[in-house]
């Protein structure tokens, strides 16, 4: 896959604001038969313990049995070697053999998991045309890929196809939909899923309720979120750690820090052990409220428990300490972490501190990624997101874009989160045209923008003093089925007030759509 991000001009023209070469072009449906050379003669059976890199590569040069092909394809999928899996699939078909249903399903799941949804769909169609009897399990494997990448239109079409084929939606299907709709802020769609689950008799456990609480929290309905706790109690459902985390996060987001701490104490009194999400929420919201004393106190207690925060939380701590010029305290904090516990966490935090200018060592993305790899770390998509966010928060657009390029060069397709971060970087730098270009690219890629996407774009236009465009973006967000959160409503109110003071909207305010 070509890393076409490298060719993206940072100042697009008005005639062509967003070149199609921004990211890798969709792989399309591969003709799997053209990917492989004709296999030689001798047929052997590969033992499971020979599926390592060395022996596996040697055995793949031989003509394999159907069982061996199936085993090798699934083994490569499990290890993330999807191109080799597709290569073997094409060889297998060229030899006149068809994979098993389990092998097909594993490949569809693995491709969807890594964002290669068009290839996943092509393999799924081939599995269907080959006469395999498909169940909800196979459909869910593809559905999950579409939903994770935000391709909601493709997901809806697949659900319609399930109905036409007489495939019943099971609990896993609804949980996939629920997770996607909550994440993208689609309140009405979430209620529809819950209604379907209740109508069909699927049980609602604390996992489902925690998802609903998250959605209510994001839409400013924190009192309604707390009413769910009463409903759970009436149904005899005991809150678990995830549920308590949702409540702590909800109170924290709306400044009810005392209530958040009470929930935390109640959670401990019931014998439940706080996890990384619990500590992250307490630290994040105390940092946002400017209460560094308590934030650092929770940070110290978390370390005593043998846990380390998400790097994004550490960015918040660095940012707050940096704003107050407390670099010595930051250095002491970092040195204490460096020699206590997880080596990988220490490396990540070291890089983040460098990004924020404490040591002045790493000023670009290449050096950061190279430093991580030099320490033997496998830079995952989540780490790339952390690095991109660190640069984006400072408005360093070129470095944020470079992280995306490096991510794609490593074979990881940029997802909606990464593109939102890039849009945010342009917005902070006051480059709203580029932010809009990223937004257009998201839509052209078949990815459905979520609430964060629209809010980030609104914020970019607010910073660019293009207030007349904010209501238009808000209306498009509603039209797309995303429920505006409190932040979006506040920006709409502020932009509308400024426009009224200026004498109404300008005549060219509809140019966004």
């Amino acid at each position: 896959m070509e890393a076409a991000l490298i060719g993206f001009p940072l100042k697009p023209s008005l005639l062509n604001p967003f070149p199609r070469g921004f990211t890798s072009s969709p792989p399309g449906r591969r003709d799997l038969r053209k990917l492989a050379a004709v296999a030689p003669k001798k047929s052997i059976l590969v033992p499971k313990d020979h599926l390592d890199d060395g022996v596996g590569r040697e055995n793949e040069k031989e003509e394999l049995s159907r069982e061996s092909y199936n085993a090798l394809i699934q083994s490569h999928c499990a290890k993330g070697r999807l191109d080799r899996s597709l290569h073997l699939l094409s060889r297998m078909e060229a030899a006149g053999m068809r994979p098993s249903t389990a092998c097909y399903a594993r490949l569809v799941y693995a491709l969807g998991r890594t964002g290669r949804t068009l290839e996943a769909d092509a393999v799924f169609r081939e599995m269907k045309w080959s006469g395999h009897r498909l169940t909800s399990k196979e459909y869910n494997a593809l559905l999950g890929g579409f939903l994770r990448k935000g391709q909601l239109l493709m997901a809806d079409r697949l659900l319609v196809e399930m109905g036409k084929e007489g495939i019943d939606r099971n609990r896993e299907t609804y949980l996939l939909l629920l997770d996607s709709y909550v994440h993208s802020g689609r309140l009405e769609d979430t209620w529809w899923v819950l209604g379907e689950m209740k109508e069909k008799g699927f049980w609602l456990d604390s996992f489902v309720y925690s998802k609903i609480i998250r959605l209510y929290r994001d839409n400013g309905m924190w009192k309604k979120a707390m009413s769910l706790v009463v409903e759970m109690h009436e149904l005899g459902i005991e809150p678990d750690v995830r549920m308590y985390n949702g409540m702590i996060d909800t109170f924290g987001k709306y400044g009810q820090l005392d209530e958040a701490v009470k929930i935390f104490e109640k959670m401990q009194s019931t014998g439940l052990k706080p996890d990384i999400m619990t500590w992250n929420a307490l630290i994040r919201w105390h940092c946002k409220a400017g209460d560094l004393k308590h934030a650092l106190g929770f940070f110290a207690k978390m370390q005593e428990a043998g846990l380390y925060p998400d790097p994004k939380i550490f960015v918040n701590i660095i940012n707050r300490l940096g704003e107050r010029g407390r670099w010595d305290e930051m250095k002491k904090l970092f040195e204490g972490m460096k020699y206590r516990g997880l080596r990988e966490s220490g490396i990540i935090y070291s890089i983040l501190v460098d990004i924020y200018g404490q040591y002045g060592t790493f000023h670009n993305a290449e050096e950061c990624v190279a430093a991580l790899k030099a320490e033997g770390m496998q830079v995952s998509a989540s780490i790339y997101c952390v690095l991109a966010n660190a640069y984006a928060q400072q408005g360093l657009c070129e470095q944020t874009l470079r992280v995306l390029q490096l991510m794609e060069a490593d074979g990881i397709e940029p997802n909606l989160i990464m593109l939102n971060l890039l849009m945010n970087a342009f917005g902070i730098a006051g480059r709203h045209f580029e932010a809009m270009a990223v937004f257009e690219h998201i839509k052209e890629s078949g990815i459905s923008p979520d609430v964060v996407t629209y809010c980030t774009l609104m914020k970019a236009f607010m910073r660019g003093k293009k207030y007349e465009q904010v209501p238009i973006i808000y209306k498009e967000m509603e039209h797309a089925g995303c429920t505006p959160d409190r932040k979006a409503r506040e920006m709409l109110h502020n932009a509308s007030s400024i426009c009224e003071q200026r004498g109404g909207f300008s005549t060219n305010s509809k140019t966004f759509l």
Side-chain angles (χ1 to χ4, degrees):
M1 182 180 297
E2 297 180 359
L5 268 168
I6 299 174
F8 175 65
L10 290 174
K11 293 185 178 180
S13 66
L14 293 178
L15 293 176
N16 185 17
F18 206 94
R20 292 190 177 274
F22 178 70
T23 56
S24 297
S25 57
R29 301 191 179 195
R30 296 191 179 188
D31 185 353
L32 300 175
R33 293 179 177 81
K34 294 181 180 179
L35 290 176
V38 178
K41 303 174 182 180
K42 187 178 176 183
S43 177
I44 60 173
L45 190 63
V46 182
K48 288 184 179 180
D49 57 349
H50 284 186
L51 297 180
D52 54 61
D53 278 346
V55 178
R57 284 184 181 275
E58 287 299 318
N59 286 329
E60 287 171 18
K61 295 179 182 179
E62 304 290 339
E63 184 176 349
L64 307 177
S65 66
R66 183 173 184 270
E67 292 77 10
S68 299
Y69 273 120
N70 283 328
L72 282 167
I73 290 172
Q74 293 185 70
S75 175
H76 290 320
C77 285
K79 296 176 182 178
R81 298 191 288 257
L82 299 181
D83 289 335
R84 287 174 67 180
S85 294
L86 291 172
H87 177 81
L88 284 171
L89 177 59
S90 62
R91 280 185 53 186
M92 185 179 186
E93 293 176 331
M97 292 179 280
R98 291 286 183 182
S100 64
T101 303
C103 182
Y104 266 131
R106 184 61 179 268
L107 188 54
V108 169
Y109 176 80
L111 288 167
R113 190 80 180 174
T114 54
R116 298 169 64 170
T117 50
L118 290 177
E119 291 170 291
D121 186 54
V123 174
F124 179 83
R125 298 300 158 198
E126 186 174 325
M127 173 171 54
K128 186 176 180 181
W129 294 331
S130 299
H132 289 270
R133 185 177 180 183
L134 304 184
T135 65
S136 56
K137 181 179 180 181
E138 287 74 46
Y139 275 96
N140 288 341
L142 183 59
L143 179 66
F146 287 145
L147 293 173
R148 274 187 291 271
K149 200 169 181 180
Q151 296 172 320
L152 301 185
L153 182 59
M154 302 276 286
D156 289 342
R157 289 174 179 171
L158 190 65
L159 290 172
V160 172
E161 182 181 326
M162 284 181 70
K164 291 181 178 178
E165 297 291 334
I167 307 295
D168 291 331
R169 302 171 188 176
N170 57 16
R171 190 172 187 271
E172 183 185 354
T173 309
Y174 287 112
L175 290 181
L176 287 170
L177 292 170
L178 184 66
D179 187 64
S180 174
Y181 292 151
V182 168
H183 179 76
S184 57
R186 297 173 181 272
L187 190 60
E188 292 184 4
D189 289 333
T190 302
W191 283 335
W192 167 76
V193 172
L194 290 173
E196 287 271 306
M197 292 183 74
K198 290 179 179 179
E199 183 181 338
K200 295 192 175 183
F202 293 116
W203 74 95
L204 304 180
D205 54 12
S206 58
F207 173 79
V208 175
Y209 276 102
S210 66
K211 295 285 184 184
I212 309 171
I213 283 181
R214 175 183 167 185
L215 184 61
Y216 284 159
R217 175 205 67 191
D218 293 341
N219 284 277
M221 304 163 66
W222 66 272
K223 291 184 178 180
K224 191 173 182 64
M226 293 304 104
S227 68
L228 289 178
V229 180
V230 178
E231 182 179 331
M232 286 181 63
H233 181 71
E234 292 174 351
L235 295 174
I237 302 173
E238 291 295 329
D240 58 7
V241 174
R242 186 184 289 106
M243 189 73 181
Y244 276 111
N245 288 347
M247 290 187 282
I248 291 171
D249 205 30
T250 299
F251 279 123
K253 182 172 183 178
Y254 296 100
Q256 308 291 322
L257 295 180
D258 291 339
E259 295 297 325
V261 173
K262 288 179 182 178
I263 294 293
F264 173 68
E265 293 171 350
K266 182 178 179 181
M267 171 185 175
Q268 290 181 307
S269 68
T270 60
L272 292 174
K273 186 177 179 180
D275 63 7
I276 187 69
M277 300 302 294
T278 315
W279 296 110
N280 281 348
L282 290 167
I283 295 170
R284 177 172 61 252
W285 297 120
H286 279 86
C287 270
K288 189 169 184 179
D291 190 351
L292 274 179
K293 179 180 178 181
H294 283 95
L296 293 174
F298 286 121
F299 184 77
K301 290 179 182 179
M302 177 170 54
Q303 290 185 81
E304 292 172 3
L307 299 173
Y308 290 86
D310 186 304
K312 293 179 183 178
I313 303 301
F314 193 65
V315 166
N316 287 337
I317 296 176
I318 293 173
N319 199 22
R320 289 296 179 181
L321 290 173
E323 287 174 355
R324 301 186 183 187
R326 295 162 64 175
W327 293 104
D328 291 338
E329 189 171 348
M330 184 191 299
K331 184 176 180 180
K332 182 180 178 182
L333 179 70
F334 165 65
E335 292 297 332
M337 293 181 62
K338 185 176 180 181
Y339 298 106
R340 291 177 59 185
L342 299 177
R343 174 174 169 273
E344 290 190 358
S345 293
I347 296 169
I348 296 172
Y349 300 139
S350 173
I351 301 300
L352 292 175
V353 171
D354 287 331
I355 290 174
Y356 272 84
Q358 169 62 8
Y359 304 116
T361 304
F362 303 108
H363 296 291
N364 59 62
E366 289 92 338
E367 291 182 6
C368 290
V369 174
L372 292 172
K373 291 183 177 179
E375 295 289 344
M377 286 188 60
Q378 183 178 357
V379 186
S380 63
S382 60
I383 294 177
Y384 275 117
C385 284
V386 171
L387 294 175
N389 185 55
Y391 286 121
Q393 290 300 321
Q394 300 176 87
L396 300 175
C397 310
E398 285 78 5
Q399 296 303 333
T400 307
L401 177 61
R402 187 60 187 145
V403 173
L404 289 171
Q405 295 168 344
L406 294 169
M407 177 181 178
E408 192 175 50
D410 276 351
I412 305 173
E413 289 191 12
N415 53 25
L416 183 60
I417 296 174
M418 295 292 289
L419 294 173
N420 285 345
L421 290 175
L422 180 59
M423 190 190 304
N424 187 47
F426 284 133
I428 292 174
R431 295 161 63 171
H432 59 276
F433 280 116
E434 284 94 337
M436 187 176 73
V438 178
F439 176 75
E440 293 297 335
H441 169 74
I442 289 172
K443 295 196 296 183
E444 290 176 4
S445 300
I447 300 174
S448 298
D450 60 10
V451 173
V452 176
T453 309
Y454 287 106
C455 286
T456 304
L457 186 60
M458 290 170 68
K459 186 167 59 175
F461 277 98
M462 290 283 287
R463 286 196 173 112
K465 298 183 179 181
K466 300 293 182 180
Y467 304 110
E468 70 277 2
Q469 299 291 342
V470 174
I472 302 173
I473 303 170
Y474 189 91
K475 289 180 180 178
E476 180 168 334
M477 173 168 48
E478 291 183 313
H479 181 72
C482 293
T483 305
D485 58 10
R486 185 179 67 171
K487 185 183 296 184
R489 293 192 292 271
E490 288 176 353
M491 283 191 286
L492 174 66
H493 178 267
N494 293 337
S496 299
S497 299
I498 293 172
C499 287
E500 288 176 3
Q501 293 172 5
R502 290 180 172 183
F505 297 108
S506 62
T507 56
N508 62 347
S509 63
K510 294 184 179 180
T511 57
F512 174 80
L513 292 176

